[in-house]
Amino acid sequence: MITGSPRDTAVAMLKEAKTVDEIREATGLSDGEIAAVAQTEELTQHHAQQRGRAYLSALAWALKSDAPRIRAKAERVKNDLDDLVATRQKDIEAQEARDEIESLESKLAAARAKLRNVTTGGKTPAPTADPGSKQENAKIRAWARDNGYEVSDRGVISKEIRDAWNNRDQARQDG
């Protein structure tokens, strides 16, 4: 369940690069109202491109400045940006590795189940709790809170939240 005013929710969703359809469904705002919010908050792609060009232009100017103080500030900014780019790349690679591990663990669990089925003649023991389920539930709860859903600290996670969690990558691709 998303909380807050429709406008605040739209702003948050625009910052998360959600699609207009997702924002409309979550807020009840019309396409025109969503566009107006994006324009007012300078969250359109046009604004982002303008801001990016302005930043690059200012940095290029500052790096060539005659004033040592301005050049030094520009160098610090440039170094900070280089650090951010490197950190972001490491974060992307780490997430890709975590995703690959999750996929391989899932495949391994399926292969183990298949082997168990073959070696026991189709009789499988009663399923046990997945040791990763607590970790996955914690991830789902954190994601849900970050995305405006109300979720308890314990107990069963609602189907609505699980469905949203399971479809989060599809929602990003559609956007």
Side-chain angles (χ1 to χ4, degrees):
M1 180 79 40
I2 296 179
T3 59
S5 75
R7 185 182 190 292
D8 291 343
T9 301
V11 168
M13 292 179 79
L14 284 164
K15 288 179 180 177
E16 295 171 4
K18 300 292 184 183
T19 66
V20 172
D21 291 339
E22 290 172 309
I23 296 169
R24 184 182 336 101
E25 185 176 318
T27 63
L29 296 175
S30 70
D31 290 4
E33 290 169 321
I34 295 167
V37 169
Q39 185 73 26
T40 302
E41 295 294 322
E42 295 187 348
L43 294 172
T44 65
Q45 185 149 2
H46 173 74
H47 285 98
Q49 289 172 346
Q50 282 183 321
R51 200 168 27 252
R53 283 198 278 298
Y55 291 161
L56 291 174
S57 176
L59 184 59
W61 165 82
L63 288 168
K64 295 178 187 173
S65 175
D66 292 335
R69 184 179 64 79
I70 292 174
R71 275 195 323 273
K73 185 182 264 190
E75 281 296 328
R76 283 193 306 271
V77 169
K78 182 182 171 296
N79 290 336
D80 286 347
L81 286 172
D82 288 343
D83 286 347
L84 282 173
V85 167
T87 301
R88 178 175 181 243
Q89 185 59 39
K90 287 178 186 175
D91 188 53
I92 289 169
E93 291 171 7
Q95 185 58 50
E96 288 171 350
R98 284 189 291 272
D99 291 346
E100 185 176 0
I101 289 169
E102 187 176 319
S103 172
L104 291 171
E105 285 175 342
S106 176
K107 288 178 183 176
L108 179 60
R112 284 185 173 146
K114 186 176 181 180
L115 176 62
R116 189 171 44 248
N117 189 30
V118 169
T119 58
T120 62
K123 297 176 184 173
T124 57
T128 59
D130 177 16
S133 64
K134 285 185 181 183
Q135 291 174 336
E136 182 178 8
N137 286 344
K139 283 183 194 177
I140 293 170
R141 283 186 169 90
W143 174 87
R145 287 184 187 107
D146 289 346
N147 287 279
Y149 291 90
E150 292 178 4
V151 62
S152 64
D153 291 336
R154 297 172 31 173
V156 177
I157 297 173
S158 73
K159 181 178 181 332
E160 175 192 10
I161 292 173
R162 281 206 182 271
D163 288 346
W165 165 262
N166 291 331
N167 294 321
R168 70 192 183 285
D169 293 328
Q170 183 64 37
R172 272 188 242 135
Q173 289 173 358
D174 291 344

